[in-house]
Amino acid sequence: MDCKDFREVLDLYVDRELSAEAAMAAGLHLEDCARCRKAESELRKMRNALKQVAAKHEPPPELVREIERVTQSRWRFLKNVSPARWLGRDRITLPAPVFALLMFAFVAVTLLAIRPLWINHPKSPAVAKQTPGDKPTGIRADSIDLSRFDHGGRVRLTKEAR
Amino acid sequence: MPRRTKEFEEIAIPHLTAVYRFARQVSDEHRADELTQETYLRAWKYFDSFRRGTNCRSWLFRILHNVWRDHVRRQRLELPLIENELATIEPYYDWEEEFLHDEMSERLQQALLQLPEVYRWAILLADVEELAYHEIARIMDCPIGTVMSRINRGRRNLARLLRSDGSSSTCNEGTAENFRKDA
């Protein structure tokens, strides 16, 4: 490798992007060439100087706190963030206690809504089950049989003469 | 603490300082706060798409680059163009003269601000973050050849800005000619 070749790959050499063979050839050239060693040294100095310049800045504490709140409390963070940012969200998640409360409320409302249906259900113990054809006890023989209005024997209607 | 939250705090939050410092180099102080905050908002939103075990810092810088690009597009109609940006590497001989002195961080900062933004991105990712070229290519969404060209030109331009800012008055053309004669 000559100086021209080395200068073409100087960036790659310093950035460790050369293949093992090319890096070895470049290293061998550096051992014999003071000018290329100087060039490599100056480039590395500039890289280090850039690192020092970049390291001067530290993130403000309030920025760090704001970002950490994203993970710890999403609802508190939302107050400090423009609502427009959240319009395109794919899903909404709830804290576990809020979700449990909503589920309990949903189940309670559902149970209350179907309660009238449950009371009139054939299997409900609140309804006395009677098979068609059986005369209920205490009913006089001359009472009018209104079983045709029973719709399957759920309730046996009778009329008593007074 | 939910598992996702814990993972985000362990994997992504430690890179916050690096992200902020980079944002500070490609924008002013106020905008750097916005860029950093927006980067982490998006990172949190899309954290499920991050493959565990891969380079999270590289992933965050990719998000930062997208956020920065969106900000630039909002301010201008198009991204800044670099004329004649070819994927070529030029052999250069600018490094032989000493131009870096001890107290020059302010000059270096000013010279960095004068670089075209795409060059600035490339050399900061290579020199400060020490990312591999293929990672830089992925972050900047360009071919590796373009990354190499931008790094090469960015460093040369930066060195010339520093040199022309008042230290050595060596003529680069003359240096090249002398070198060629010697070679």
Side-chain angles (χ1 to χ4, degrees):
Chain A
M1 182 179 285
D2 60 14
C3 291
K4 182 174 178 297
D5 294 334
F6 179 79
R7 297 306 178 96
E8 285 179 356
V9 301
L10 176 57
D11 288 310
L12 297 164
Y13 178 73
V14 169
D15 293 334
R16 297 180 189 177
E17 291 283 339
L18 288 179
S19 65
E21 297 80 14
M24 187 179 293
L28 288 172
H29 175 77
L30 280 180
E31 288 178 7
D32 297 331
C33 181
R35 292 178 76 172
C36 288
R37 270 204 305 277
K38 184 73 177 295
E40 190 237 359
S41 170
E42 288 297 306
L43 177 53
R44 289 193 189 275
K45 276 167 65 176
M46 192 177 81
R47 281 164 54 94
N48 290 335
L50 276 170
K51 286 193 182 76
Q52 289 173 17
V53 164
K56 280 192 314 183
H57 304 291
E58 289 291 333
E62 56 272 16
L63 175 65
V64 177
R65 278 196 296 272
E66 199 68 32
I67 289 172
E68 285 176 346
R69 275 196 209 117
V70 171
T71 59
Q72 290 168 10
S73 174
R74 306 185 74 189
W75 299 112
R76 269 187 285 155
F77 182 75
L78 277 173
K79 286 182 196 172
N80 300 320
V81 172
S82 168
R85 285 181 179 171
W86 298 90
L87 287 178
R89 293 188 58 191
D90 297 331
R91 60 176 183 235
I92 296 175
T93 57
L94 297 172
V98 175
F99 181 75
L101 192 63
L102 284 174
M103 286 301 297
F104 177 77
F106 175 74
V107 170
V109 167
T110 305
L111 286 175
L112 286 173
I114 66 173
R115 187 168 176 268
L117 300 175
W118 174 251
I119 289 173
N120 296 324
H121 195 275
K123 292 190 178 177
S124 170
V127 176
K129 184 172 181 181
Q130 298 173 350
T131 56
D134 289 343
K135 286 196 173 180
T137 55
I139 304 300
R140 287 167 51 167
D142 58 351
S143 62
I144 300 172
D145 184 5
L146 300 175
S147 64
R148 64 180 181 276
F149 299 109
D150 288 350
H151 300 291
R154 286 165 55 188
V155 175
R156 190 174 181 84
L157 302 176
T158 59
K159 181 179 177 182
E160 292 184 3
R162 292 188 179 175
Chain B
M1 183 183 287
R3 183 167 158 241
R4 189 174 184 264
T5 304
K6 192 179 173 197
E7 282 186 346
F8 190 83
E9 288 189 355
E10 287 174 358
I11 296 171
I13 295 290
H15 300 292
L16 196 157
T17 300
V19 170
Y20 175 78
R21 284 174 173 168
F22 198 99
R24 199 69 178 77
Q25 293 301 324
V26 297
S27 64
D28 56 50
E29 186 173 354
H30 171 68
R31 202 162 296 152
D33 286 8
E34 287 183 9
L35 290 176
T36 307
Q37 195 170 32
E38 181 66 28
T39 297
Y40 269 84
L41 268 175
R42 290 193 195 183
W44 171 248
K45 184 178 176 184
Y46 297 109
F47 191 55
D48 293 332
S49 69
F50 169 67
R51 281 186 295 169
R52 308 299 189 263
T54 59
N55 190 338
C56 183
R57 193 159 56 102
S58 182
W59 180 69
L60 287 168
F61 277 116
R62 182 173 166 85
I63 296 173
L64 174 63
H65 185 262
N66 291 338
V67 170
W68 169 81
R69 195 168 47 185
D70 291 344
H71 274 244
V72 167
R73 281 181 178 150
R74 275 202 287 273
Q75 291 169 1
R76 313 174 202 174
L77 291 178
E78 57 190 26
L79 286 170
L81 297 175
I82 308 297
E83 291 184 0
N84 300 322
E85 189 182 20
L86 303 172
T88 57
I89 303 297
E90 301 175 24
Y92 53 89
Y93 316 97
D94 305 337
W95 302 109
E96 296 180 21
E97 296 291 331
E98 285 191 21
F99 60 94
L100 290 164
H101 307 289
D102 292 335
E103 295 298 323
M104 66 172 310
S105 62
E106 188 59 36
R107 283 175 51 208
L108 183 56
Q109 181 72 72
Q110 292 303 319
L112 199 56
L113 291 173
Q114 293 179 52
L115 281 183
E117 285 158 331
V118 290
Y119 290 172
R120 204 185 318 160
W121 267 90
I123 63 174
L124 285 172
L125 287 172
D127 292 341
V128 177
E129 301 302 327
E130 294 185 334
L131 293 172
Y133 283 11
H134 71 272
E135 289 179 305
I136 297 173
R138 196 157 176 273
I139 288 168
M140 297 187 70
D141 196 23
C142 63
I144 287 184
T146 305
V147 170
M148 292 166 60
S149 172
R150 288 176 180 176
I151 290 172
N152 176 257
R153 292 176 181 222
R155 285 170 175 165
R156 291 188 69 184
N157 288 340
L158 189 60
R160 286 174 181 166
L161 284 167
L162 289 169
R163 193 176 288 112
S164 66
D165 196 25
S167 51
S168 169
S169 59
T170 303
C171 173
N172 296 332
E173 295 299 325
T175 303
E177 283 300 318
N178 290 338
F179 180 86
R180 288 195 181 106
K181 284 176 189 172
D182 292 340

